[in-house]
């Protein structure tokens, strides 16, 4: 339309024919009317031209605006598409970053758990391998004291001079301390006479403490003496008078006796003692033992030694704490010790008639897939017999106890499965009888669900402090695609309800993690059934349940990694689930003998088959009462036991039963009745005979009373003498010496020995007799 209009306007303004033919013409020939028409035509032509120009410009402007709007729309769409693409890319990168962070966090958590478990397994208290050595040097010479200690975590070492902490910063030019690869050195530069002292080093970590000490003697140079070069010292140098090694004597004053406690109580065993001489630098070391096993500070026991007193405190008594406790005071001159028994009774049952709690819960053969839990059964004297046990597990740091077995297990051993790799667990056990369930036992020590074999496949090389290289055997075996079959598949443990299979991983095993599949087949059938179809086994051991009683089975194992599954291993020999440990036979003849006015010594013959025995339980009963009471609440391993807490003058009979993982034996035959009375034996010899005074004409001797009186008070002592060059002894006194001190005049050189004198009471008749103890000459 616009083009047609424009064409019409162009036709109106076409040059007239007479102007196209003549470029130059005169307009004078035109008349007025013609000029008027021409002027009107020119004006009309100007309006049309103006309108056409305006219309054309408007059209061009509208067209330009439309084109600009289209470009803007295209540009906006392009920018929007780029923005959407950028947002999509950012979201993809953010998702990848979050996934990487999640994987990194999971790996760090698993590594932290594994590191914690490995550190717990190798953690140990400091142990001195090479102790400090004493030195004697001249003034102005340098001294280096060194020792070697091991422990994990790495012990922190502090040096002391006469029990004062050495700080090298206070005297920079005097001391220099070095520690490298477990070797710790104290350098003393240009020693002077004031450096003569006792130096000690104390190594400490979270599990304990160890120390070592030595003497450094600095000789002062005199004008007529030439100092020896360093390292070339004479063999006999005089010691300083400041350092002397004195024999330390420990005498127990107040001692703990036979103690009776109940589960859940707090209790303290303590001894007060006299230490002579009482030196701060040379103090004895107090050690506590239960049944000859050293006791350390723990959640249940606390140790204390100081101010002439040694104590062992129990925060929460348990039957695990029952036993013979011995306090040993260790000095350079020897060991002084004292022992007494601690009995721990069962706490009141939550349900009347329920058994006592099991004890001594321990974990064995821990790996990624299971752990074997063992315990000892409680003594059931008045309660009905135990029919089984429940095992509970709890992850360390939580308080959520989970029962592991649905039905009570009848033997004192159970493999717990369903553990999460890398996590630590504690366990407890409850006994069940016809009346109900017992209180739970004391919890076991924590155990991590890790395979210790993995630690053997790695080797750590310490380059320097803070740097180490870990080499894995898997990296050295090259790339293995499909692994080979396991070898040496066998039953490491057989029970009536389960069989524990063990095998050796394929060699080489490759870098990829291995898992195993176990298959079983009943003897006589041709089909194979996969045991762990739902759960992958990561350790080369596994407990197989759900086996028919009385049937024989064969097994085979397959290994797999991400590339595929190996061929089956060799088939095992037929295995029949059965209890390899049987109930023990009853102990033999039981004999009771007199001991003290409240105790009796009971001895018995061991059963014919005493393999795998946990120990024995001893019961006692008043004659005619037919009511039996337990003497010990924790099995003892010996066939001799001292029963305490009896009534003086009462008659008792005794019986014994053996116990193992399967259960209790029959009761032994009852002993003959015995009346509780103190037994008399020969007293032990006097000791510690000492020369107190000698003036050339007389001697004053002193000694200590015998450690054992033999059941009756010591009435006095006889003294023997002999000349130094003769072997014949002669009595010094004809009447008893009632004190532990005696003065004898008119003596030459003699050896002396002391004999105690005591009374024997028999049938209310006092018989005065003297029994000589053979004593070695003491001075």
């Amino acid at each position: 339309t616009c083009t047609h209009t424009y064409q019409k306007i162009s036709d109106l303004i076409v040059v007239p024919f007479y102007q196209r033919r003549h470029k130059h013409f005169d307009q004078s020939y035109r008349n007025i009317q013609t000029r008027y028409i021409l002027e009107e035509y020119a004006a009309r032509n100007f309006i049309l031209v103006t309108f056409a120009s305006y219309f054309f410009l408007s059209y061009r402007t509208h067209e330009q605006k439309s084109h600009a709007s289209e470009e803007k729309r295209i540009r906006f769409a392009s920018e929007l598409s780029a923005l959407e693409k950028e947002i999509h890319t950012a979201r993809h990168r953010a998702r990848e970053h979050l996934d990487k962070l999640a994987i990194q966090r999971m790996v760090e958590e698993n590594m932290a758990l594994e590191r914690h478990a490995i550190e717990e397994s190798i953690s140990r208290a400091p142990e001195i391998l090479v102790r400090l050595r004493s030195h004697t040097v001249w003034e102005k010479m340098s001294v280096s004291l060194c020792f070697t200690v091991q422990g994990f975590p790495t012990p922190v070492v502090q040096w002391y001079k006469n029990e004062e902490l050495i700080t090298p910063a206070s005297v920079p030019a005097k001391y220099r301390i070095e520690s490298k690869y477990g070797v710790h050195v104290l350098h003393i530069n240009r020693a002077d006479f004031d450096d003569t002292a006792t130096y000690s080093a104390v190594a400490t970590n979270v599990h304990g403490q160890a120390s070592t000490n030595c003497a450094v003697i600095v000789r002062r140079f005199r004008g007529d003496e030439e100092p020896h070069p360093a390292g070339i010292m004479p063999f006999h140098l005089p010691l300083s008078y400041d350092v002397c090694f004195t024999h330390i004597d420990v005498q127990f004053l107040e001692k703990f006796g036979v103690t009776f406690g109940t589960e859940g109580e707090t209790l303290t065993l303590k001894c007060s003692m006299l230490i002579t001489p009482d030196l701060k630098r040379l103090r004895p070391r107090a050690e506590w033992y239960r049944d000859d096993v050293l006791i350390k500070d723990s959640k249940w026991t606390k140790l204390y030694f100081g101010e002439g007193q040694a104590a062992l405190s129990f925060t929460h008594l348990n039957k695990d704490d029952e036993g013979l406790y011995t306090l040993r005071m260790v000095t350079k001159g020897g060991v002084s010790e004292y022992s007494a028994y601690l009995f721990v009774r069962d706490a009141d049952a939550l349900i009347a008639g329920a058994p006592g709690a099991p004890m001594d819960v321990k974990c064995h053969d821990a790996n990624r897939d299971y752990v074997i839990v063992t315990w000892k059964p409680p003594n059931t004297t008045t309660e009905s017999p135990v029919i089984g046990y429940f095992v509970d597990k709890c992850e360390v740091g939580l308080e959520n106890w989970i029962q592991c077995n649905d039905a009570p297990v009848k033997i004192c051993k159970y493999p717990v499965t369903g553990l999460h790799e890398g996590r630590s667990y504690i366990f407890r056990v409850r006994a069940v009888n016809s009346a109900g369930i017992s209180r739970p036992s004391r919890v076991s020590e924590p155990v991590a669900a890790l395979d210790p074999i993995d630690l053997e496949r790695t080797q750590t090389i310490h380059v320097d402090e803070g740097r180490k290289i870990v080499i894995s055997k898997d990296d050295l075996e090259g790339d293995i695609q499909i692994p080979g079959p396991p070898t040496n598949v066998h039953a490491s443990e057989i029970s009536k309800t389960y069989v524990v299979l063990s095998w050796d991983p394929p060699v080489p095993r490759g870098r990829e993690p291995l898992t195993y599949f176990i298959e079983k087949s009943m003897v006589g059938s041709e089909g194979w059934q996969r045991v762990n179809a739902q759960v992958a086994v990561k350790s080369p051991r596994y407990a197989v349940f759900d086996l028919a009683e009385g049937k024989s089975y064969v097994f085979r194992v397959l290994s797999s990694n991400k590339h595929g599954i190996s061929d089956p291993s060799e088939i095992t020999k037929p295995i029949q689930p059965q209890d390899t440990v049987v109930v023990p036979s009853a102990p033999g003849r039981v004999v009771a003998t007199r001991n003290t006015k409240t105790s009796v010594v009971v001895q018995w013959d061991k059963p014919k088959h005493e393999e795998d025995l946990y120990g024995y339980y001893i019961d006692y009963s008043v004659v005619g009462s037919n009511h039996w009471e337990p003497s010990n609440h924790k099995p003892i391993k010996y066939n001799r036991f001292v029963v305490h807490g009896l009534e003086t003058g009462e008659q008792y009979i005794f019986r014994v039963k053996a116990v193992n993982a399967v259960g209790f034996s029959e009761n032994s035959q009852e002993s003959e009745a015995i009346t509780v009375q103190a037994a008399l034996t020969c007293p032990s010899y006097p000791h510690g005979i000492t020369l107190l005074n000698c003036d050339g004409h007389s001697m004053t001797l002193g000694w200590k009373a015998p450690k054992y009186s033999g059941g009756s008070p010591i009435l006095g002592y006889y003294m023997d003498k002999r000349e130094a060059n003769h072997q014949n002894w002669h009595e010094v006194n004809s009447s008893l010496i009632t004190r532990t001190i005696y003065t004898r005049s008119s003596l030459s050189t003699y050896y002396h020995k002391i004999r105690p004198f005591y009374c024997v009471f028999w049938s209310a008749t006092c018989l005065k007799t003297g029994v000589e103890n053979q004593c070695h000459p003491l001075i």
Side-chain angles (χ1 to χ4, degrees):
T1 304
C2 295
T3 306
H4 183 68
T5 305
Y6 179 74
Q7 183 66 34
K8 288 182 176 181
I9 296 172
S10 300
D11 294 340
L12 293 175
I13 59 174
V14 176
V15 179
F17 68 93
Y18 51 83
Q19 291 185 0
R20 284 183 292 178
R21 295 182 62 183
H22 305 281
K23 295 184 180 180
H24 306 281
F25 52 88
D26 187 10
Q27 297 180 358
S28 61
Y29 66 92
R30 298 175 180 172
N31 55 22
I32 297 174
Q33 186 179 358
T34 302
R35 287 198 301 269
Y36 174 77
I37 294 172
L38 290 175
E39 289 176 0
E40 183 180 359
Y41 173 79
R44 185 178 177 184
N45 189 24
F46 174 78
I47 293 173
L48 290 174
V49 171
T50 304
F51 173 76
S53 301
Y54 174 75
F55 181 80
F56 180 75
L57 291 175
S58 299
Y59 170 77
R60 292 294 301 271
T61 303
H62 175 73
E63 188 178 13
Q64 290 177 356
K65 287 183 178 180
S66 299
H67 182 69
S69 176
E70 182 67 19
E71 289 183 349
K72 185 176 182 181
R73 186 186 66 80
I74 294 173
R75 186 172 60 254
F76 177 76
S78 176
E79 291 178 354
L80 182 60
S81 176
L83 181 60
E84 289 178 351
K85 185 176 181 181
E86 186 177 352
I87 292 174
H88 178 74
T89 304
R91 286 179 177 175
H92 182 69
R93 291 179 179 175
R95 188 178 299 109
E96 288 183 346
H97 184 64
L98 290 176
D99 291 342
K100 289 182 179 179
L101 289 178
I103 294 173
Q104 183 179 359
R105 189 181 302 110
M106 183 177 64
V107 171
E108 290 177 352
E109 290 177 355
N110 291 338
M111 291 181 64
L113 288 173
E114 186 173 357
R115 188 184 309 111
H116 175 74
I118 294 175
E119 289 179 355
E120 286 293 328
S121 63
I122 64 176
S123 296
R124 59 185 181 274
E127 180 183 359
I128 305 295
L129 301 181
V130 179
R131 310 189 71 84
L132 290 174
R133 183 172 59 87
S134 298
H135 292 71
T136 302
V137 298
W138 293 96
E139 279 188 314
K140 309 304 180 184
M141 293 178 62
S142 297
V143 183
S144 294
L145 308 178
C146 63
F147 76 102
T148 304
V149 63
Q150 70 175 7
F152 190 86
T154 303
V156 177
V157 175
Q158 292 181 314
W159 291 87
Y160 294 86
K161 174 184 177 182
N162 289 339
E163 299 187 356
E164 293 184 2
L165 182 65
I166 296 176
T167 54
S170 60
V171 189
K174 173 60 68 174
Y175 302 109
R176 182 166 55 89
I177 296 176
E178 293 181 357
S179 300
K180 194 173 184 180
Y181 304 121
V183 179
H184 302 268
V185 184
L186 172 65
H187 298 280
I188 304 176
N189 186 36
R190 295 181 62 83
D192 53 32
F193 189 74
D194 294 335
D195 293 323
T196 299
T198 299
Y199 291 84
S200 58
V202 179
T204 308
N205 66 8
V206 295
H207 298 288
Q209 189 179 80
S211 62
T212 177
N213 56 64
C214 68
V216 174
I217 302 169
V218 182
R219 291 194 64 191
R220 181 164 291 170
F221 174 70
R222 295 178 177 85
D224 54 347
E225 295 179 349
E226 289 292 334
H228 295 271
I232 308 176
M233 299 296 294
F235 290 102
H236 301 287
L237 289 178
L239 295 176
S240 169
Y241 290 104
D242 295 339
V243 180
C244 61
F245 299 95
T246 307
H247 172 74
I248 299 177
D249 181 68
V250 178
Q251 181 179 359
F252 294 106
L253 301 178
E254 296 182 3
K255 300 175 285 188
F256 63 94
V258 176
T259 308
F260 297 88
T262 305
E263 283 187 311
E265 296 179 346
T266 58
L267 183 69
T268 300
L269 305 178
K270 58 184 177 181
C271 278
S272 60
M273 61 199 71
L274 178 63
I275 302 174
T276 309
D278 189 4
L279 303 176
K280 291 184 178 181
R281 292 185 300 168
L282 300 174
R283 299 182 62 188
R285 183 174 69 253
E287 296 178 348
W288 287 88
Y289 293 83
R290 177 177 60 242
D291 298 329
D292 293 330
V293 177
L294 181 64
I295 300 175
K296 298 181 180 180
D297 264 324
S298 67
K299 177 182 177 181
W300 312 109
T301 54
K302 303 296 180 184
L303 306 177
Y304 170 79
F305 174 59
E307 300 179 356
Q309 189 177 79
L312 173 63
S313 298
F314 300 90
T315 57
H316 188 282
L317 271 181
N318 193 277
K319 288 188 294 185
D320 297 68
D321 299 319
E322 183 172 292
L324 181 65
Y325 283 82
T326 302
L327 171 61
R328 294 178 183 172
M329 303 302 298
V330 182
T331 65
K332 290 187 175 181
V335 177
S336 300
E337 65 180 32
Y338 169 75
S339 300
Y341 210 90
L342 169 63
F343 294 88
V344 182
R345 302 184 181 91
D346 285 297
D348 294 336
L350 299 176
I351 302 174
M359 69 207 79
D360 200 17
V361 179
K362 294 182 179 179
C363 300
H364 308 273
D365 195 22
N367 55 68
R368 295 189 183 102
D369 304 300
Y370 76 94
V371 61
I372 294 180
V373 181
T374 62
W375 59 91
K376 292 179 180 177
N379 189 7
T380 53
T381 303
T382 59
E383 303 85 4
S384 59
V386 173
I387 60 177
Y389 304 90
F390 285 117
V391 181
D392 303 331
K393 69 178 179 180
C394 178
E395 190 173 338
V396 173
L398 304 179
E399 296 182 357
N400 183 24
W401 286 95
I402 301 174
Q403 185 173 301
C404 301
N405 51 318
D406 298 329
V409 58
K410 295 182 179 180
I411 64 174
C412 299
K413 182 183 293 185
Y414 185 73
V416 178
T417 57
L419 307 179
H420 295 282
E421 182 181 356
R423 299 184 184 180
S424 296
Y425 295 87
I426 55 177
F427 300 88
R428 70 183 187 186
V429 183
R430 296 169 293 156
V432 184
N433 67 0
S434 58
I437 303 177
S438 72
R439 292 177 179 269
S441 67
R442 175 179 286 178
V443 300
S444 67
E445 293 293 331
V447 61
L450 292 173
D451 200 333
I453 296 179
D454 292 343
L455 298 178
E456 300 175 1
R457 296 187 61 81
T458 59
Q459 181 180 2
T460 302
I461 301 175
H462 294 275
V463 180
D464 52 22
E465 294 184 1
R467 294 181 57 196
K468 60 183 179 180
I469 300 175
V470 179
I471 300 176
S472 175
K473 292 183 180 179
D474 300 337
D475 298 332
L476 303 177
E477 293 176 350
D479 293 329
I480 302 296
Q481 296 297 321
I482 298 178
T487 58
N488 190 27
V489 181
H490 64 281
S492 58
E493 186 174 338
I494 301 176
S495 173
K496 184 182 294 185
T497 56
Y498 66 89
V499 171
V500 176
L501 292 177
S502 299
W503 58 87
D504 296 332
V507 178
R509 60 181 292 173
R511 299 176 182 176
E512 301 299 333
L514 285 180
T515 56
Y516 303 95
F517 295 100
I518 298 95
E519 295 181 346
K520 68 178 180 180
S521 176
M522 189 178 296
V523 174
S525 65
E526 297 180 356
W528 288 91
Q529 179 184 357
R530 182 158 291 182
V531 175
N532 60 321
Q534 303 296 330
V535 180
V537 176
K538 300 179 181 179
S539 297
R541 291 177 300 282
Y542 191 71
V544 182
F545 289 87
D546 300 329
L547 302 175
E549 186 175 353
K551 302 293 183 180
S552 296
Y553 293 85
V554 291
F555 301 90
R556 67 184 186 184
V557 184
L558 301 87
S559 57
S560 67
N561 59 15
K562 70 177 185 179
H563 300 292
I565 301 178
S566 71
D567 296 329
S569 66
E570 294 183 1
I571 301 174
T572 64
K573 297 180 180 179
I575 301 171
Q576 182 177 355
Q578 60 183 354
D579 288 331
T580 55
V581 180
V582 297
V583 176
S585 56
R589 185 173 62 101
V590 180
V591 178
T593 55
R594 291 166 55 184
N595 186 44
T596 69
K597 60 182 180 180
T598 58
S599 64
V600 168
V601 177
V602 180
Q603 292 178 290
W604 58 91
D605 295 334
K606 296 180 179 180
K608 295 180 180 179
H609 304 287
E610 57 176 337
E611 295 83 5
D612 303 316
L613 277 185
Y614 287 160
Y616 304 92
Y617 280 121
I618 301 96
D619 301 331
Y620 64 88
S621 174
V622 177
V623 173
S625 66
N626 200 25
H627 176 73
W628 291 92
E629 289 288 341
S631 173
N632 60 315
H633 308 85
K634 179 180 178 181
I636 62 168
K637 296 183 178 180
Y638 307 103
N639 62 333
R640 182 182 184 276
F641 189 70
V642 180
V643 180
H644 289 273
L646 305 177
E647 293 291 335
T648 305
E650 192 68 74
Q651 283 191 327
Y652 290 89
I653 55 177
F654 302 88
R655 70 184 185 189
V656 183
K657 53 189 172 186
V659 60
N660 64 6
V662 179
F664 297 91
S665 71
E666 296 291 336
N667 290 317
S668 67
Q669 294 182 354
E670 299 172 0
S671 69
E672 295 183 359
I674 185 173
T675 302
V676 180
Q677 291 180 349
L680 292 181
T681 60
C682 296
S684 60
Y685 56 83
H687 62 285
I689 184 170
T690 307
L691 177 63
L692 301 177
N693 184 39
C694 183
D695 56 7
H697 301 285
S698 62
M699 286 184 181
T700 300
L701 300 176
W703 59 91
K704 294 180 181 179
K707 293 183 178 180
Y708 307 103
S709 65
S712 179
I714 300 294
L715 300 180
Y717 304 90
Y718 286 107
M719 179 181 292
D720 296 342
K721 68 178 182 180
R722 71 173 175 86
E723 294 185 7
N725 298 327
H726 295 80
Q727 300 297 323
N728 296 327
W729 290 91
H730 304 282
E731 289 188 352
V732 174
N733 56 308
S734 56
S735 58
L736 286 174
I737 302 173
T738 57
R739 301 174 59 193
T740 56
I741 187 172
Y742 184 74
T743 301
R744 179 67 176 176
S745 58
S746 302
L747 292 176
S748 55
T749 303
Y750 287 103
Y751 284 139
H752 291 79
K753 69 178 181 179
I754 313 296
R755 295 175 294 154
F757 186 84
Y758 65 99
C759 277
V760 177
F761 293 92
W762 181 259
S763 301
T765 304
C766 180
L767 302 176
K768 234 179 187 181
T769 59
V771 178
E772 177 180 355
N773 267 293
Q774 296 299 324
C775 305
H776 297 287
L778 300 181
I779 62 171

